[in-house]
C-alpha cells in the first residue's frame, strides 16, 4: 500500500475514467464564478490548469498563470462538507390521510458513490471530525451512506494561501491519513500513493510507472516548503482552559464591534455541524417534508428559547463560536475543531482572523494551560 | 367545514406582491379551494368591507383615504398580514419622507400642491394599525407567502426567518461577491427570504428584504467605506427599498449628507 | 434505523391545567414498546408545523398512555394546544439522561421546582412513591409566579397527606386564601426536614431559580455533587447532532437534560451560554 | 326614449392592475359625466432617481410596476446606454429580447385568462371561470408560469428581476439551463396555438372605431426592444424625437394626465403593434392569425385580446429562435464608459410603448428623468372609447349591463394604474 508510483500528467484522465467505470460520480476542483469549487468533472480539461489564488482576510481572487499544474491553489470556499453534510436536505416526510392518521417515511438517500479528486489534508481532517459527530454514536443515516460511498483522492498541498495555518494545527499540508489515494503534483505528473485497499485497486488500474527517487524527494520538499511558508498559527492547539478563563476579556467586545454575525465563518468551516430543522408542507397540507439546513451559532434561532435569547448580542455569538471551536470541542471530540484551513479568515466579509483574535485573547496563555 | 376567508387589499404599491398569488399557477386554483377569497380586486373579487379571517395588505399608507381604509381593514379582519416592503416598511416611496423632500417635490411637481391628497409621509401599515404578521421583500417571495398561508391554515404562526442573507447564500453555494469580487453586498445586514438571488447572479444584494435581526450596520458601513464607497453611496445602500426600516434609517442617516449629492 | 423518524401517537386525553397549560395523554399506535426513565423527554411533532422537546410527565403503569404537560408559549406549543382527542401527532424518544434515581436510592430526596419545572419532576415523585421503600424522606417544593399558575393543587394536597412526604408551596403573588408561602421558593429551605448528609436534590425550573436553590441547598449542607438540575436549551434534533443545545462541551439533549451541578456550574449563569 | 337618470359609480375597478374608478352620469340619454379616475397616490419615481448613480436606475424603475418591471428595466437600460454612447453586444440584445418575451408571455397570459376572458364568458373572476373552463384556465396558468420561468432564466425572479444591468446582464445562463428552457418553450407551442383559436372563438362585440395606432417598428423583427416610433397616420420618428410630437396634457375634471399625438388621442398596445407590424410576424404566427379568419389590421378594439394571444405565440417562437443559437459569452455585459449626456429609450411593454429619458452628469449620476408609461398614453383614448362604446351599446341597457360593458372596455386596455401614477406634472382641479 505504501509503494509510490508515478502517473504522467497526460495520463491523469485515466484516473477519472477508472473511477467512473467503477460507478463513481467524479467531483473535482473547477474555477467557476471566481473561485475554486468542487463540482462534477468528466474531463481533466475542466480542472483549473495554471490557476492560482490570492487570499487574505476578507479577500479572495483567482489569477491565471502559465504553470501546467492543476492543483496549484489553496482551498476555495468549500470542499467535502457540502457533499456529505448537505446544506439542505429532507430527513423524512409526514403524510396525513383523510382520516387524520399520520404516516412517516424516511427520505430516500442518493447512494451513488462519490469520488472527490483534489481533497486537501485539512479537509480530510475535517471530514474525520464530522464522521465523529455524525457517524460515531447516534448515526445520521444519510451522512453515513454518503460517507461509506466516498472515495477520496487527496492532493498534498504545495500552495498554501496567506490565510492557511494547517501546519500549526497539525492537519496539513501533507494528507496523513483518511484518503484512498494521495497525489503529489509535480510539473510533469503525479506521485501516487494508495491509502486504502480500494485505493490500491484504483492505483493498480492506472498507467503508472515507478516513481523516481528524485520525484519523491521533490514531492516531499514541496510539501515541506508549503508548511514553512505558512505564517499564521494559533497560540496553542488546546485553548480550552485559556478561553474559558477569559470569558470577560475586553477583546470580545472589540471583535463584536467588527463582526457582522453573518455566519459566513461557520458556513465555510469544514467542521461546523450545526443545523436547524423545519417543516415544508404542501399547500393542501396533506404532506410535509421535514427539512434540515445548515444553521450557525451566529443565528438568532440557535440560542432561542421561548421568550428568551441565550445569545442576544454579537459578542455572545462570536464568543460561543470561538470557545466552542477552539475550546469545548476538546471535551466533545478530544481535539480542537479547527483544522487550520483558513476559510473563516478569507471568507469573512470583514476579514476577522481567528488566529489574531485567539492571539489577542489567549496570546499570553502558557501553552493554553493558564 | 367552513373555509377560512381571506382578502387582499391594495394600498400605494406597484402590485408586484399581489402577484405572489396571481403567479402561483396551479397553486392559485388550489388556494381558491382551501380558502374563500372575499376581496381581491385584481382577481376580480370586490367586497372591500367584507369581514375576513385573514387580510393581506399590499402597499404603504400615503393618503388620508388610505389611513381611513386601513382602519376599516383592521376592524373587519381577524388577522392582518402585511405583504411586502411597502406595507411592512414603507417601501421605495418612503424615500420621500427623507428630509421633508415630500413638500419640496410636491411644490416642484404639482401646479396646485394643496390639492394633492397625499400625506407628508408614506408609512408602513404598522404605523397606523396593529399588524399580526409581516412578510418582507420587494417583492415578497411567492413560496414564502404560500408557506405562511399554509401555517395560518394549520392554526400556527408562520415562521419568520430573520437571519442574514449570507446564511442562505452559503447554503446555495453562491460564491461571495464581496470577498471574491469586491462588490458592496448588503447580504450581511439583510434578512433571508429571497433565496440569495443576487449573489447567485453574481451581483451584490441591495437589501430588498429589509434588515436582518441583530444587523451590525456600523460594521457594514465601515466595510462599504473600505470598499471605496463615498459616504453618499453608503447612505443610499441603506436608504433604498427599505429606507424606513429600523436600523437602515439610522445607518443611512449617519452617512447621509444632503440630497444624496456626490461628495 | 433512522433516529429522526417519529412514530405516530394518538391523543387519548386532553386536560386543561391552567390558562395556558394543558396535558395530553398520548398512545403510540404502532404497538411497539416504549420505555422511559424519569426526567427524559420526547420530541412531539405537529404535522406540517414542527417538533418540540417535551418532558414525559408520567406513564400510567396500568395503561400505555404517556402524559405530557405543555405550556402554550409559541408556534408549536400553541398548535399542540388546539389538538383534540383522536388527533394524531408524531412522537420520538425518549431522549436524554434523566434524574439520578439510582444514586438517590436510600436517600432523602428534595425536589425543588419553579413554574412548569414541576412537569419534568412529577416522574421523580411517581417513581419514589412507586418504590417507597427504596427512598427516604421526600420533600416537594414548588414555586410559582402567581397562585393562578399553580397546577395540580389536588395532587399536591394528596401527596402532602402521605407519610414521610412534605409539600411546600410558594407564590410570588398570592390570591386571598393562599396557605402557602408568599415569596421565593428558596425561602422555604428553613422548613425542610432532611438530613443534609444523606440528601439528594433535584431541581427544575428557570435557571435563576435553580442557581439560587442550588446555592441555598449547598449552604444548608448538601454536597454540590448531590444537587441535580434539569436544563433547557433549544433543541432541533434531540440526538446531539444539531448543535443548538450545547452548553460548553455538553449537548443538553444527550448529556443532559439532567446534570449534576458541578458538571455545568462553571458556565451556569454566564450570559451567552 | 330614455328619460331615466342613471348614475353609475364603480368605486373600484376589478381585474385591472392597480386601482382606478369610473364615474359615469347619464341624464336624459346623454352622457353628462364620464371620468376614469386613478386614485393610486403618486409615487415620485423620477424624483427618487435624481442623485442616484446610473447603475441604481434599473433596480429602481422596476418598482414602478410589478406587472411589467422588465419593460421599465429595458427602456431604462437602453436610455442610459444611449446617454453613454454605447451599443450593447448582439448577445445582450438577443437576450434582452428573450427576457422581454418572458414578460409578454407572463403579462399577456395573465391578462387574457385572469383579467379579460371572464368578461367575455360571463364570469366575475377567474375562480368562477375555472370551474366551467378548467382546461382553458390551466392552459393560461401554464403559459403565465412559463413566462415567469423565462424571466427567471435571465432575471432570477419574475417580479423585479435582479439580472439586468446597464450594458447587459449580471449573469449568463448555462447551456444546460437554456436547453431545459428550450424544451419547455417548445412544449408550450401547442398551448399557444390552441389559445389563439380559442380567443378567436370568444364572443366579441363587433365594434369598429377610428383610432390612431402607435407602436415601434423594427427593420426586420416584430417590435419589442428596439425600433422607430411609427403610427398609421404616417408618423415615423426616432425614439429621441418622441417629445416633439407627443405632449402630455392635463384636462379638467380628471386627476390623470393625457398624452396626445399632435393634439389627438392615440392607442398603444398589442392591437396597434399588430396592426402596424403584420409583415414582421414570424411566419408560423402569421399563419395562425390568418387561420382565425379575423382580418387585420383591425379597427375593433376588442381584438386586442386576440392580438395578445398572437403575441404570446410570437414570444414563444422568438424565444425559441434566439435560444436555439445560444452560446455562453465571455462576459454577459460591457462596462459602460460613464460620461455626461442625455439619452432616450423606448420599448414595447405588454401594454404598449414605454418611453424614458435620462440626463446624467459626468460622474454617472442621474440629474433628470422622464418616464411616459403606456397607460398614460392610452388614457385619452380610453375615455373616447368609453363614451362611444357605451353610446353604441345603448344607454338604455340596465345599470349592471352598462357597468359591465364599461368595465369590459376599460379592462380591454389592460390599464396599469400603478405605472401611471408616478406622473410628475399633474395639475389638479376640483369643483
Ligand atoms: C428537555 C426539554 C424538556 C422540556 N419539557 C417541557 C415540558 O414538559 N412542557 C413544556 O411546556 N415545555 C417543555 N420544554 C420547553 C418547550 O420545548 C418549549 O416551550 C417549546 O419548544 C417552545 O416551542 P414553540 O414553538 O411553542 O415556541 P416558539 O417560541 O415559537 O419557538 C420556536 C422554536 O424555537 C425553539 N424553542 C423555543 N423555545 C424553546 C425551548 N424552551 N426549548 C427548546 N427549544 C425551544 C423550538 O425549536 C421551537 O419550535 C422543554 C424543553 C426542553 C429542552
Ligand atoms: S475555524 Fe476557520 S480555519 Fe479553522 S477549520 Fe474552521 S474555517 Fe478552517
Ligand atoms: S455574497 Fe453577500 S450575501 Fe453572500 S456571503 Fe457574501 S456578503 Fe453574504
Ligand atoms: S439578494 Fe438582496 S436584493 Fe437580491 S433579491 Fe435577495 S434580498 Fe433582494
Amino acid at each position: 500500500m505504501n509503494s509510490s508510483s508515478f502517473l504522467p500528467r497526460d495520463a491523469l484522465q485515466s484516473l477519472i475514467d477508472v473511477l467512473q467505470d467503477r460507478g463513481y460520480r467524479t467531483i473535482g476542483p473547477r474555477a467557476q464564478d471566481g473561485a475554486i469549487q468542487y463540482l462534477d468533472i468528466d474531463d481533466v480539461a475542466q480542472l483549473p490548469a495554471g490557476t492560482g489564488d490570492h487570499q487574505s482576510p476578507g479577500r479572495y481572487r483567482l489569477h491565471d498563470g502559465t504553470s501546467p499544474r492543476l492543483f496549484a491553489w489553496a482551498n476555495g470556499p468549500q470542499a467535502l462538507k457540502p457533499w456529505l453534510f448537505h446544506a439542505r436536505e429532507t430527513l423524512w416526510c409526514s403524510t396525513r390521510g383523510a382520516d387524520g392518521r399520520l404516516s412517516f417515511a424516511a427520505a430516500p438517500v442518493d447512494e451513488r458513490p462519490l469520488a472527490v479528486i483534489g481533497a486537501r489534508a485539512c479537509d480530510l481532517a475535517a471530514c474525520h471530525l464530522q464522521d465523529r459527530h455524525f457517524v460515531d454514536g447516534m448515526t445520521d443515516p444519510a451522512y453515513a451512506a454518503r460517507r461509506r460511498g466516498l472515495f477520496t483522492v487527496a492532493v498534498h498541498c504545495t500552495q498554501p494561501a496567506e490565510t492557511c495555518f494547517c501546519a500549526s494545527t497539525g492537519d496539513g499540508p501533507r494528507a496523513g491519513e483518511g484518503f484512498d489515494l494521495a497525489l503529489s503534483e509535480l510539473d510533469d505528473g503525479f506521485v501516487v500513493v494508495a491509502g486504502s485497499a480500494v485505493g490500491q485497486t484504483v492505483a493498480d488500474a492506472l498507467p503508472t510507472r515507478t516513481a523516481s527517487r528524485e520525484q519523491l524527494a521533490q514531492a516531499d520538499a514541496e510539501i515541506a516548503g508549503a508548511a514553512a511558508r505558512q505564517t499564521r498559527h494559533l497560540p496553542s492547539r488546546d485553548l480550552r482552559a485559556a478561553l474559558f478563563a477569559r470569558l470577560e476579556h475586553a477583546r470580545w467586545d472589540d471583535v463584536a464591534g467588527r463582526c457582522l454575525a453573518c455566519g459566513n465563518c461557520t458556513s465555510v468551516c469544514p467542521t461546523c455541524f450545526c443545523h436547524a430543522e423545519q417543516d415544508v408542507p404542501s399547500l393542501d397540507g396533506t404532506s410535509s417534508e421535514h427539512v434540515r439546513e445548515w444553521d450557525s451559532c451566529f443565528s438568532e434561532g440557535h440560542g432561542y428559547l421561548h421568550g428568551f435569547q441565550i445569545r442576544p448580542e454579537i459578542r455572545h455569538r462570536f464568543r460561543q463560536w470561538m470557545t466552542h471551536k477552539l475550546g469545548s470541542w476538546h471535551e466533545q471530540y478530544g481535539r480542537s475543531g479547527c483544522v487550520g484551513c483558513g476559510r473563516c479568515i478569507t471568507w469573512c466579509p470583514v476579514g476577522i482572523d481567528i488566529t489574531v483574535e485567539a492571539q489577542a485573547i489567549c496570546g499570553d496563555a502558557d501553552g493554553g494551560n493558564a | 367545514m367552513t373555509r377560512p376567508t381571506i382578502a387582499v387589499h391594495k394600498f400605494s404599491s406597484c402590485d408586484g406582491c399581489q402577484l405572489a398569488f396571481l403567479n402561483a399557477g396551479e397553486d392559485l386554483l388550489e388556494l381558491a379551494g382551501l380558502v374563500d377569497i372575499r376581496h381581491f380586486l385584481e382577481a376580480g373579487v370586490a367586497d372591500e368591507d367584507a369581514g375576513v379571517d385573514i387580510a393581506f395588505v399590499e402597499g404603504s399608507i400615503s393618503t388620508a383615504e388610505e389611513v381611513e381604509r386601513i382602519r376599516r381593514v383592521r376592524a373587519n379582519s381577524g388577522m392582518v398580514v402585511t405583504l411586502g416592503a411597502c406595507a411592512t416598511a414603507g417601501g421605495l416611496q418612503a424615500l420621500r419622507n427623507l428630509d421633508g423632500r415630500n413638500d419640496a417635490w410636491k411644490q416642484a411637481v404639482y401646479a396646485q400642491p394643496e390639492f394633492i391628497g397625499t400625506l407628508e409621509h408614506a408609512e408602513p401599515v404598522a404605523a397606523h394599525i396593529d399588524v399580526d404578521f409581516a412578510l418582507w421583500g420587494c417583492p415578497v417571495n411567492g413560496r414564502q407567502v404560500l408557506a405562511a398561508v399554509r401555517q395560518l391554515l394549520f392554526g400556527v404562526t408562520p415562521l419568520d426567518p430573520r437571519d442574514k442573507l449570507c446564511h442562505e447564500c452559503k447554503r446555495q453555494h453562491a460564491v461571495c461577491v464581496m470577498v471574491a469580487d469586491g462588490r458592496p453586498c448588503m447580504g450581511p445586514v439583510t434578512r433571508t427570504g429571497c433565496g440569495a438571488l443576487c449573489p447567485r447572479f453574481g451581483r451584490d444584494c441591495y437589501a430588498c428584504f429589509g434588515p436582518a435581526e441583530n444587523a451590525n450596520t456600523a460594521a457594514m458601513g465601515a466595510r462599504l467605506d473600505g470598499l471605496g464607497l463615498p459616504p453618499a453611496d453608503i447612505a443610499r445602500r441603506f436608504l433604498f427599498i427599505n429606507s424606513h426600516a429600523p436600523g437602515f434609517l439610522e445607518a443611512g442617516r449617519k452617512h447621509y449628507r444632503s440630497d444624496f449629492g456626490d461628495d | 434505523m433512522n433516529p429522526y423518524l417519529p412514530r405516530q401517537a394518538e391523543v387519548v386525553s386532553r386536560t386543561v391545567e391552567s390558562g395556558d397549560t394543558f396535558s395530553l395523554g398520548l398512545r403510540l399506535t404502532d404497538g411497539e414498546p416504549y420505555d422511559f426513565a424519569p426526567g427524559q423527554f420526547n420530541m412531539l411533532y405537529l404535522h406540517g408545523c414542527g417538533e418540540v422537546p417535551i418532558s414525559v410527565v408520567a406513564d400510567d403503569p396500568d395503561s400505555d398512555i404517556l402524559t405530557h404537560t405543555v405550556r402554550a408559549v409559541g408556534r408549536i406549543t400553541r398548535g399542540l394546544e388546539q389538538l383534540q382527542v383522536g388527533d394524531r401527532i408524531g412522537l420520538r424518544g425518549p431522549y436524554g439522561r434523566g434524574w439520578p434515581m439510582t444514586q438517590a436510592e436510600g436517600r432523602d430526596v428534595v425536589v425543588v421546582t419553579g413554574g412548569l419545572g414541576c412537569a419534568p419532576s412529577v416522574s421523580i415523585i411517581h417513581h419514589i412513591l412507586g418504590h417507597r421503600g427504596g427512598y427516604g424522606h421526600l420533600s416537594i417544593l414548588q414555586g410559582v409566579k402567581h397562585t393562578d399558575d399553580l397546577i395540580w393543587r389536588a395532587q399536591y394536597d394528596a401527596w402532602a397527606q402521605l407519610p414521610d412526604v412534605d409539600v411546600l408551596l410558594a407564590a410570588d403573588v398570592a390570591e386571598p386564601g393562599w396557605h402557602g408561602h408568599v415569596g421565593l421558593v428558596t425561602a422555604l429551605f428553613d422548613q425542610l426536614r432532611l438530613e443534609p448528609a444523606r440528601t439528594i436534590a433535584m431541581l427544575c425550573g428557570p435557571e435563576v431559580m435553580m442557581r439560587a436553590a442550588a446555592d441555598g441547598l449547598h449552604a444548608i449542607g448538601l454536597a454540590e455533587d448531590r444537587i441535580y438540575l434539569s436544563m433547557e436549551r433549544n433543541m432541533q434534533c434531540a440526538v446531539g447532532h444539531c448543535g443548538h443545545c450545547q452548553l460548553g462541551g455538553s449537548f443538553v439533549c444527550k448529556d443532559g437534560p439532567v446534570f449534576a451541578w458541578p458538571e455545568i456550574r462553571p458556565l451556569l449563569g454566564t450570559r451567552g451560554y | 326614449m330614455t328619460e331615466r337618470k342613471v348614475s353609475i359609480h364603480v368605486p373600484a375597478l376589478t381585474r385591472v392592475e392597480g386601482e382606478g374608478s369610473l364615474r359615469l352620469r347619464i341624464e336624459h340619454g346623454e352622457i353628462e359625466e364620464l371620468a376614469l379616475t386613478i386614485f393610486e397616490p403618486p409615487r415620485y419615481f423620477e424624483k427618487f432617481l435624481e442623485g442616484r448613480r446610473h447603475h441604481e436606475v434599473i433596480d429602481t424603475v422596476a418598482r414602478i410596476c410589478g406587472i411589467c418591471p422588465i419593460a421599465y428595466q429595458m427602456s431604462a437600460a437602453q436610455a442610459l446606454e444611449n446617454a453613454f454612447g454605447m451599443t450593447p453586444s448582439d448577445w445582450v440584445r438577443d437576450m434582452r429580447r428573450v427576457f422581454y418575451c418572458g414578460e409578454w408571455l407572463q403579462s399577456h397570459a395573465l391578462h387574457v385568462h385572469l383579467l379579460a376572458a371572464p368578461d367575455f364568458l360571463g364570469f366575475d373572476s377567474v375562480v368562477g371561470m375555472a370551474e366551467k373552463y378548467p382546461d382553458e384556465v390551466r392552459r393560461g396558468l401554464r403559459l403565465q408560469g412559463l413566462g415567469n420561468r423565462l424571466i427567471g432564466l435571465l432575471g432570477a425572479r419574475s417580479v423585479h428581476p435582479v439580472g439586468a444591468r446597464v450594458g447587459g446582464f449580471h449573469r449568463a445562463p448555462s447551456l444546460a439551463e437554456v436547453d431545459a428552457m428550450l424544451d419547455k418553450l417548445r412544449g408550450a407551442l401547442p398551448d399557444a396555438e390552441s389559445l389563439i383559436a380559442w380567443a378567436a372563438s370568444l364572443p366579441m362585440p363587433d365594434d369598429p372605431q377610428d383610432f390612431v395606432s402607435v407602436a415601434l417598428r423594427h427593420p426586420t423583427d416584430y417590435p419589442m426592444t428596439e425600433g422607430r416610433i411609427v403610427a398609421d397616420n404616417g408618423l415615423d420618428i426616432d425614439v429621441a424625437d418622441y417629445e416633439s410630437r407627443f405632449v402630455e396634457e392635463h384636462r379638467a375634471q380628471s386627476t390623470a394626465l393625457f398624452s396626445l399625438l399632435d393634439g389627438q388621442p392615440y392607442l398603444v398596445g398589442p392591437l396597434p403593434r399588430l396592426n402596424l407590424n403584420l409583415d414582421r410576424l414570424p411566419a408560423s404566427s402569421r399563419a395562425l392569425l390568418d387561420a382565425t379568419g379575423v382580418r387585420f389590421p383591425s379597427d375593433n378594439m376588442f381584438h386586442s385580446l386576440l392580438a395578445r394571444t398572437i403575441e404570446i405565440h410570437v414570444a414563444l417562437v422568438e424565444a425559441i429562435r434566439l435560444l436555439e443559437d445560444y452560446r455562453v459569452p465571455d462576459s454577459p455585459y460591457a462596462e459602460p464608459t460613464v460620461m455626461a449626456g442625455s439619452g432616450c429609450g423606448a420599448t414595447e411593454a405588454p401594454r404598449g410603448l414605454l418611453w424614458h429619458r435620462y440626463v446624467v452628469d459626468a460622474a454617472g449620476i442621474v440629474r433628470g428623468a422622464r418616464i411616459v408609461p403606456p397607460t398614460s398614453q392610452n388614457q385619452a383614448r380610453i375615455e373616447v372609447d368609453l363614451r362611444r362604446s357605451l353610446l353604441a351599446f345603448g344607454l338604455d341597457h340596465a345599470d349592471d349591463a352598462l357597468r359591465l360593458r364599461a368595465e369590459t372596455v376599460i379592462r380591454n386596455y389592460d390599464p396599469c394604474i400603478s405605472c401611471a401614477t408616478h406622473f410628475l406634472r399633474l395639475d389638479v382641479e376640483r369643483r
Side-chain angles (χ1 to χ4, degrees), chain B residues 138 165 190-191 194-199 204-210, chain D residues 63 157 162:
Chain B
C138 178
L165 183 72
T190 302
R191 60 157 67 206
C194 69
L197 300 181
C198 292
D204 40 294
C205 164
Y206 54 91
C208 78
F209 268 67
Chain D
R63 269 76 188 178
R157 65 180 169 200
V162 301

Side-chain angles (χ1 to χ4, degrees), chain A residues 304-306, chain C residues 41 51-55 69-71 73-78 116 119-120 231-236 257:
Chain A
Y304 175 75
L305 295 182
H306 61 272
Chain C
F41 65 96
E51 284 188 307
V52 284
I54 302 290
S55 308
T69 298
V70 184
R71 171 165 293 165
V73 292
R75 275 189 79 228
I76 307 297
T77 47
R78 288 202 192 107
L116 203 61
M231 297 298 296
E232 208 177 286
R233 281 294 176 276
N234 187 308
M235 285 174 194
Q236 307 277 303

